[in-house]
Amino acid sequence: MLPKDLIRRIRKLEIRTRKVVSDMLAGQYHSVFKGRGMAFSEVRQYQPGDEIRIIDWNVTARMNEAYVKVFTEERELTVMLLVDVSASKEFGSKERTKAEIAAEVAAQIAFSAIANNDRVGLILFSDRVEKVVPPRKGRTHVLRLVSDILTFQPQGKGTDLSTGLTYLTQVAKRKAVTFLISDFQARDYEKPLRLVGRKHDLVPVVVEDPLEEAFPRLGLVEMEDPESGERFVVDTSDPRVRGRFARAMQTARDERRKLFKKLELDHVELRAGDDHGKALAQFFRARARRMAA
């Protein structure tokens, strides 16, 4: 049994998410993510303009007139949510932490998927694989995934994108649409990112907080690294300190974007305080335009 306050949070998130899905995402999701291929559906009489290559010669011989094969897209997809639950995700300077933003975005994607009759699975990871929920369909299943993202207490504190990505390649034998939701505060993940991107339709979703872009001017502040536990004092009134921090974060952001471009991965960047449903919709529209070009 879930606590009543958690049930209320999940229900509120479901209502907000369903509105976003119905208003903006479901149709765009369908047009952007294609099925596994074409499957035979039926035969019909040949019509002028039909491709000769799709004539069904066996049926044509029996019926003494030309018939062609009709194919339809195998629509059903498997969607995997690969969600970072490391300690850094608990940070948040706005109304919600990065973990709560990740849960909301995952819910929007999951409800879009089940609206298109797709299956959704979940892999939670930190510096290890923490929990795996196999892909299934249905509202109850999606609510379980959201609950897991919001409440799961990981054993690890660090972030190792390679661990989550490598595990996915081992368990997902067929192509899956994979959303990697993380703050990407990690190192040495280019190789597994490339491998997953080759096999699956991989979409990195970067969750950021404004305070991770620049320090506010607050004087001497004691800070703690949530992943290592290291504590240190920072003089945020010193413009040189703020400048070095801002440059380092911008450099990391630029290098990450270059990597995504190099690997030809469409990605989404989400900032705390922004409209995440609108950001996802803009991503889907931009991807649809690129695919149509």
Side-chain angles (χ1 to χ4, degrees), residues 1 14 37 77 80 84 89 100 102 105-106 115 117 129 131 150 160 174 182 185 197 202 215 247:
M1 293 294 292
E14 180 190 13
L77 298 172
M80 291 301 300
D84 173 5
K89 294 292 290 308
E100 291 171 322
V105 171
N117 202 36
V129 174
K131 184 169 185 176
L150 284 173
D160 188 347
R174 304 185 70 173
S182 173
Q185 294 184 10
L202 177 62
F215 283 142
R247 286 192 296 272

Side-chain angles (χ1 to χ4, degrees), residues 29-30 33-37 73-79 113 116-120 135-137 174-177:
Y29 168 95
H30 180 92
F33 298 109
K34 301 298 183 182
R36 294 194 297 258
E73 180 186 0
E74 268 193 288
R75 175 58 234 178
E76 182 180 297
L77 298 172
T78 295
V79 176
N116 282 277
N117 202 36
D118 294 335
R119 303 184 307 151
V120 188
R136 293 195 184 94
K137 300 180 183 180
R174 304 185 70 173
K175 182 177 181 179
V177 178

Side-chain angles (χ1 to χ4, degrees), residues 8 55-57 66 91 96 155 172 185 207 219 223-224 232-233 238 247 251 269 274 289-290:
R8 284 195 295 269
I55 291 177
D56 188 321
W57 295 108
F91 178 75
R96 284 169 284 177
Q155 292 183 337
Q185 294 184 10
V207 181
M223 298 186 178
E224 179 179 340
F232 43 91
V233 175
D238 187 335
R247 286 192 296 272
T251 297
E269 293 182 354
D274 290 349
R289 286 195 299 268
R290 186 182 63 77

Side-chain angles (χ1 to χ4, degrees), residues 2-289:
L2 298 176
K4 289 184 179 180
D5 61 332
L6 177 59
I7 293 174
R8 284 195 295 269
R9 286 175 65 195
I10 294 174
R11 180 58 180 157
K12 185 177 179 180
L13 178 57
E14 180 190 13
I15 294 171
R16 185 166 64 242
T17 297
R18 280 189 174 277
K19 186 176 187 308
V20 172
V21 170
S22 62
D23 289 351
M24 291 190 292
L25 297 184
Q28 293 174 18
Y29 168 95
H30 180 92
S31 64
V32 167
F33 298 109
K34 301 298 183 182
R36 294 194 297 258
M38 303 304 289
F40 172 75
S41 175
E42 59 181 347
V43 296
R44 62 166 172 78
Q45 284 184 294
Y46 176 86
Q47 298 175 359
D50 284 340
E51 283 276 354
I52 296 177
R53 290 176 297 179
I54 63 172
I55 291 177
D56 188 321
W57 295 108
N58 291 329
V59 176
T60 296
R62 290 199 307 269
M63 303 300 293
N64 289 322
E65 56 181 322
Y67 276 76
V68 297
K69 296 177 182 178
V70 177
F71 296 87
T72 57
E73 180 186 0
E74 268 193 288
R75 175 58 234 178
E76 182 180 297
L77 298 172
T78 295
V79 176
M80 291 301 300
L81 301 173
L82 195 54
V83 182
D84 173 5
V85 290
S86 61
S88 64
K89 294 292 290 308
E90 294 304 320
F91 178 75
S93 65
K94 298 293 184 179
E95 294 180 357
R96 284 169 284 177
T97 64
K98 289 188 287 185
E100 291 171 322
I101 294 170
E104 179 170 335
V105 171
Q108 291 169 348
I109 294 167
F111 277 113
S112 296
I114 64 169
N116 282 277
N117 202 36
D118 294 335
R119 303 184 307 151
V120 188
L122 174 68
I123 298 174
L124 301 178
F125 72 94
S126 55
D127 51 17
R128 66 199 76 181
V129 174
E130 299 278 0
K131 184 169 185 176
V132 179
V133 182
R136 293 195 184 94
K137 300 180 183 180
R139 170 182 174 272
T140 301
H141 176 65
V142 170
L143 293 179
R144 176 199 170 179
L145 300 186
V146 174
S147 174
D148 285 342
I149 297 171
L150 284 173
T151 63
F152 187 79
Q153 297 298 316
Q155 292 183 337
K157 291 187 175 182
T159 305
D160 188 347
L161 296 177
S162 298
T163 295
L165 290 165
T166 301
Y167 183 82
L168 176 71
T169 61
Q170 295 170 349
V171 299
K173 302 304 181 184
R174 304 185 70 173
K175 182 177 181 179
V177 178
T178 302
F179 290 87
L180 174 57
I181 306 175
S182 173
D183 55 14
F184 285 80
Q185 294 184 10
R187 298 178 180 177
D188 303 324
Y189 54 84
E190 177 176 347
K191 183 178 179 180
L193 203 69
R194 180 188 294 109
L195 292 175
V196 172
R198 286 176 180 171
K199 182 178 180 181
H200 302 285
D201 191 346
L202 177 62
V203 180
V205 180
V206 185
V207 181
E208 300 176 299
D209 189 278
L211 271 187
E212 294 172 330
E213 299 173 8
F215 283 142
R217 192 168 180 172
L218 298 174
L220 293 176
V221 177
E222 184 179 21
M223 298 186 178
E224 179 179 340
D225 186 324
E227 297 191 359
S228 68
E230 179 185 0
R231 293 192 174 193
F232 43 91
V233 175
V234 177
D235 184 2
T236 61
S237 64
D238 187 335
R240 293 170 298 179
V241 171
R242 296 199 308 275
R244 283 197 300 268
F245 177 79
R247 286 192 296 272
M249 296 304 293
Q250 185 61 50
T251 297
R253 191 176 300 109
D254 292 341
E255 290 178 350
R256 185 173 61 233
R257 289 169 179 168
K258 288 178 183 177
L259 176 59
F260 293 156
K261 185 175 181 180
K262 173 184 173 182
L263 300 181
E264 298 181 336
L265 296 176
D266 296 325
H267 72 284
V268 189
E269 293 182 354
L270 305 175
R271 292 175 80 253
D274 290 349
D275 186 330
H276 309 119
K278 186 176 294 184
L280 273 180
Q282 290 172 347
F283 161 76
F284 286 158
R285 283 195 296 269
R287 179 174 168 132
R289 286 195 299 268

